[in-house]
Amino acid sequence: MGYQYTAIGDSLTTGFGALPGNGFVPVYRRMAEGRLRTTVASTNLGVNGMTTSELEQRLRGNSMMREAVREADIITVSIGGNDLIHAAKSAARQQGNLSAELRRSLQECKQNFSAIMNILIQLKARTRSPFIIRIVGLYNPYPQVVGATEWVRQFNQYAAQYSSRVCGFASIYSEFAGNERGLLSIDHLHPNGRGYRVIAEKLDALGYGGLN
């Protein structure tokens, strides 16, 4: 028996900010093994700094990633945080209208995310064996930036709409809000080991559908 787990996304998927083995992907994989009572092999295709646009392009054109998704029984997606970061930095550089920049980036981010989910569903369409997709929600990396909280809230609300029999949304916003000091690494942007464990626990709590 045994299951295949493919993780796609940004630096949260790579586990940036935590010691090796302490990112949410390896922690969640170990939790899944315990719950499913069999081996779970993982393929981590996370890329630091990846945006929704870049992930969409890679899912369309990278044959290795497409094959890893096709073969996966468990898929996790963490994406969107860098879209917010880019928008906030762009507005700061240009000294422009932050709210306008955030609105524009949120709209693009939603469109890209929709395309990502459609591609995943298309890639899995001919799969006969059961599978699950898990979306990692966003916390706010910029609680001090006006408008960032609303950006994250709206993105999470949009991504959560993809919840279905096979797709689950792991909401982590409230766990991180106000607890940034304890859950973020020294860069105040990425989770530390404790933060990644929180993410893994939220994913694990969604269960494993029909896999077992």
Side-chain angles (χ1 to χ4, degrees):
M1 193 51 185
Y3 293 97
Q4 179 61 44
Y5 166 30
T6 296
I8 61 175
D10 51 25
S11 52
L12 295 192
T13 296
T14 70
F16 191 90
L19 293 171
N22 288 331
F24 85 77
V25 171
V27 175
Y28 177 54
R29 184 194 68 77
R30 293 192 292 270
M31 288 177 174
E33 281 191 331
R35 292 279 292 275
L36 295 166
R37 296 183 179 180
T38 187
T39 57
V40 176
S42 63
T43 301
N44 192 327
L45 299 178
V47 177
N48 292 342
M50 181 173 267
T51 62
T52 53
S53 172
E54 290 164 347
L55 179 55
E56 180 194 350
Q57 289 169 17
R58 195 162 292 207
L59 278 169
R60 289 191 190 282
N62 186 303
S63 57
M64 186 192 76
M65 180 176 277
R66 290 172 67 86
E67 189 59 27
V69 167
R70 279 196 194 97
E71 293 180 353
D73 306 294
I74 303 168
I75 301 164
T76 57
V77 185
S78 74
I79 203 71
N82 290 305
D83 296 68
L84 170 59
I85 290 168
H86 288 188
K89 287 182 175 177
S90 174
R93 276 196 306 270
Q94 297 167 14
Q95 295 183 328
N97 186 331
L98 179 62
S99 61
E101 187 68 27
L102 288 177
R103 272 197 308 273
R104 182 195 60 75
S105 77
L106 178 62
Q107 194 57 36
E108 281 186 17
C109 188
K110 285 179 177 179
Q111 291 172 352
N112 295 338
F113 187 81
S114 176
I116 288 165
M117 294 305 296
N118 287 338
I119 295 168
L120 291 180
I121 291 162
Q122 287 167 13
L123 288 172
K124 301 301 290 179
R126 295 177 185 170
T127 303
R128 291 183 180 173
S129 57
F131 66 92
I132 56 174
I133 298 172
R134 297 292 181 250
I135 302 164
V136 178
L138 297 185
Y139 58 88
N140 185 5
Y142 286 139
Q144 72 281 10
V145 173
V146 177
T149 297
E150 183 61 17
W151 195 104
V152 171
R153 191 188 71 78
Q154 288 200 35
F155 175 81
N156 284 337
Q157 195 173 19
Y158 185 81
Q161 293 177 350
Y162 283 88
S163 298
S164 68
R165 186 177 56 81
V166 297
C167 187
F169 178 79
S171 175
I172 61 172
Y173 180 84
S174 58
E175 280 71 20
F176 278 79
N179 299 313
E180 290 87 1
R181 182 171 291 185
L183 298 180
L184 296 183
S185 62
I186 54 172
D187 68 359
H188 305 297
L189 204 59
H190 295 89
N192 55 23
R194 284 178 61 196
Y196 281 119
R197 175 160 284 276
V198 166
I199 296 172
E201 287 171 348
K202 295 289 279 190
L203 288 166
D204 183 59
L206 291 171
Y208 295 86
L211 288 184
N212 58 349

